[in-house]
């Protein structure tokens, strides 16, 4: 297991975080305070970002969440200034389903989504009729199903898309049966299934290495552009100078970038996408999401 030591970062557990806030505010020392929601605050990039931000006059408070379903509502309700845990597809689905309008502030990286197994060393070894687990949140479910299809384990009706669901699996033409679980539970399912799609946030916590993946998608594929991870804010705050400065620190500080690669096992593909381009991409995915009904 690649251990991830708990670093000196201002981590605020969500359940104890009760002070509502609007935009960033000044701390007692004159620095601006920004409350940032993440999943996995012990990852080393957050300590590196906190230190680098402090040098630029920003007091960063990292608020930790256990599940992907929590940071967007917290941002919507004003309990955070920003969050950074999701890609554009996930944000689009949240906005459409909730009627909210959270918006991207800046890009971070694209990460491959991998299939892992503790029983089999290759996709070819997985027996016919086995069960494979995938995350149950809509955006990662669809992406996971596309990974399984590219690996030859399932066949998706109409070729599959970013909106594929479990109902789109052609069971008669597929090698395996697919079951869905909350994303944090797919790693713990490994003893009971042939393989599982595991989100990057949970790979090392499960005692796995990223190079243990027996299949994964290609983050450099243009079709993967909608899966770029982002900082998100409430609508109208995306051009906040402090938030933009924080994004720039993340994108340009070498200690932060090195820490991200440490967390991701060297798999991160860093991208600097202009905010307007991110917003246009988000609008497109939201329109496609609404069209799916």
């Amino acid at each position: 297991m690649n251990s991830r030591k708990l670093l000196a970062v201002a981590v605020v557990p969500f359940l104890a975080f009760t002070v509502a806030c609007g935009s960033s505010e000044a701390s007692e020392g004159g620095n601006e305070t920004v409350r940032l929601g993440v999943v996995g605050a012990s990852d080393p990039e957050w300590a590196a970002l906190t230190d680098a931000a402090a040098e630029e006059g920003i007091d960063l408070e990292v608020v930790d969440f256990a599940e992907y379903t929590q940071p967007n509502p917290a941002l919507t309700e004003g309990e955070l200034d920003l969050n950074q845990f999701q890609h554009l597809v996930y944000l689009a689905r949240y906005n459409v389903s909730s009627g909210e309008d959270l918006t991207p502030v800046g890009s971070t990286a694209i990460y491959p989504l991998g299939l892992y197994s503790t029983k089999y060393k290759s996709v070819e070894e997985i027996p016919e009729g086995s069960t494979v687990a995938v995350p149950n949140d809509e955006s990662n479910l669809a992406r996971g199903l596309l990974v399984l299809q590219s690996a030859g384990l399932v066949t998706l009706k109409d070729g599959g898309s970013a909106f594929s669901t479990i109902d789109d699996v052609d069971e008669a033409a597929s090698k395996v049966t697919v079951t869905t679980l909350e994303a944090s539970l797919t790693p713990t399912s490994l003893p009971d299934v042939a393989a599982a799609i595991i989100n990057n946030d949970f790979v090392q916590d499960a005692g796995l290495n990223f190079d243990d993946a027996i299949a994964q998608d290609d983050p450099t594929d243009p079709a993967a552009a909608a899966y770029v991870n982002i900082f998100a804010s409430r609508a109208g705050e995306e051009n906040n100078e402090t938030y933009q400065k924080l994004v720039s620190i993340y994108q340009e500080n070498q200690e932060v970038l090195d820490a991200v690669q440490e967390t991701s096992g060297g798999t991160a593909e860093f991208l600097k996408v202009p905010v307007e381009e991110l917003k246009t991409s988000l609008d497109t995915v939201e329109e496609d999401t609404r069209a799916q009904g």
Side-chain angles (χ1 to χ4, degrees):
M1 176 178 179
N2 284 348
S3 61
R4 286 190 285 176
K5 55 188 177 181
L6 184 61
L7 300 173
V9 58
V11 179
V12 183
F14 174 60
L15 292 178
F17 190 82
T18 58
V19 180
C21 61
S23 58
S24 57
E25 53 193 47
S27 66
E28 290 184 4
N31 290 352
E32 287 205 76
T33 298
V34 175
R35 299 176 179 91
L36 173 69
V38 306
V39 176
S42 63
D43 291 342
E45 62 263 32
W46 304 123
L49 183 62
T50 298
D51 291 343
E55 294 177 0
E56 298 294 330
I58 301 171
D59 288 336
L60 183 64
E61 293 183 7
V62 178
V63 184
D64 198 17
F65 294 86
E67 297 178 358
Y68 294 138
T69 56
Q70 297 172 327
N72 279 337
L75 180 58
T76 297
E77 294 301 319
E79 293 160 351
L80 303 170
D81 298 307
L82 299 170
N83 66 39
Q84 202 282 289
F85 76 101
Q86 66 192 321
H87 46 56
L88 286 171
V89 174
Y90 190 97
L91 178 57
R93 288 183 179 274
Y94 171 78
N95 279 347
V96 171
S97 64
S98 66
E100 300 297 342
D101 58 354
L102 300 183
T103 190
V105 175
S107 61
T108 59
I110 291 180
Y111 305 89
L113 184 64
L115 177 69
Y116 296 83
S117 176
T118 54
K119 298 177 180 177
Y120 306 106
K121 295 182 179 179
S122 69
V123 169
E124 291 72 26
E125 291 182 12
I126 295 176
E128 188 96 21
S130 298
T131 299
V132 173
V134 298
N136 64 3
D137 60 276
E138 291 178 332
S139 57
N140 287 309
L141 168 59
R143 191 180 180 191
L145 291 174
L146 291 171
V147 172
L148 297 185
Q149 178 168 258
S150 68
L153 294 174
V154 302
T155 298
L156 298 174
K157 301 169 186 176
D158 299 325
S161 72
F163 302 96
S164 293
T165 71
I166 202 75
D167 293 332
D168 294 313
V169 176
D170 185 339
E171 295 180 1
S174 297
K175 182 179 179 180
V176 301
T177 298
V178 180
T179 188
T180 60
L181 296 170
E182 197 279 318
S184 65
L185 298 180
T186 59
T188 62
S189 75
L190 285 175
D192 304 313
V193 297
I197 295 288
I198 302 178
N199 290 49
N200 277 27
D201 288 323
F202 306 114
V203 169
Q204 291 181 316
D205 288 339
L208 299 167
N209 296 317
F210 292 97
D211 56 10
D212 291 332
I214 58 175
Q216 63 183 29
D217 56 6
D218 180 4
T220 65
D221 187 329
Y227 292 103
V228 61
N229 279 39
I230 56 166
F231 283 89
S233 73
R234 289 176 291 280
E237 298 180 8
E238 61 270 23
N239 294 317
N240 178 292
E241 291 184 5
T242 301
Y243 300 169
Q244 286 299 319
K245 182 188 291 188
L246 190 63
V247 170
S248 295
I249 293 168
Y250 186 103
Q251 293 177 340
E252 298 171 6
N253 183 279
Q254 195 59 49
E255 291 185 7
V256 174
L257 298 177
D258 290 345
V260 172
Q261 290 294 25
E262 178 185 342
T263 299
S264 70
T267 64
E269 295 283 343
F270 296 111
L271 294 176
K272 295 181 181 180
V273 183
V275 172
E276 289 307 314
E277 188 174 326
L278 291 171
K279 291 171 68 175
T280 298
S281 296
L282 178 65
D283 289 343
T284 298
V285 180
E286 287 183 358
E287 288 175 7
D288 290 344
T289 301
R290 292 186 186 95
Q292 294 296 312

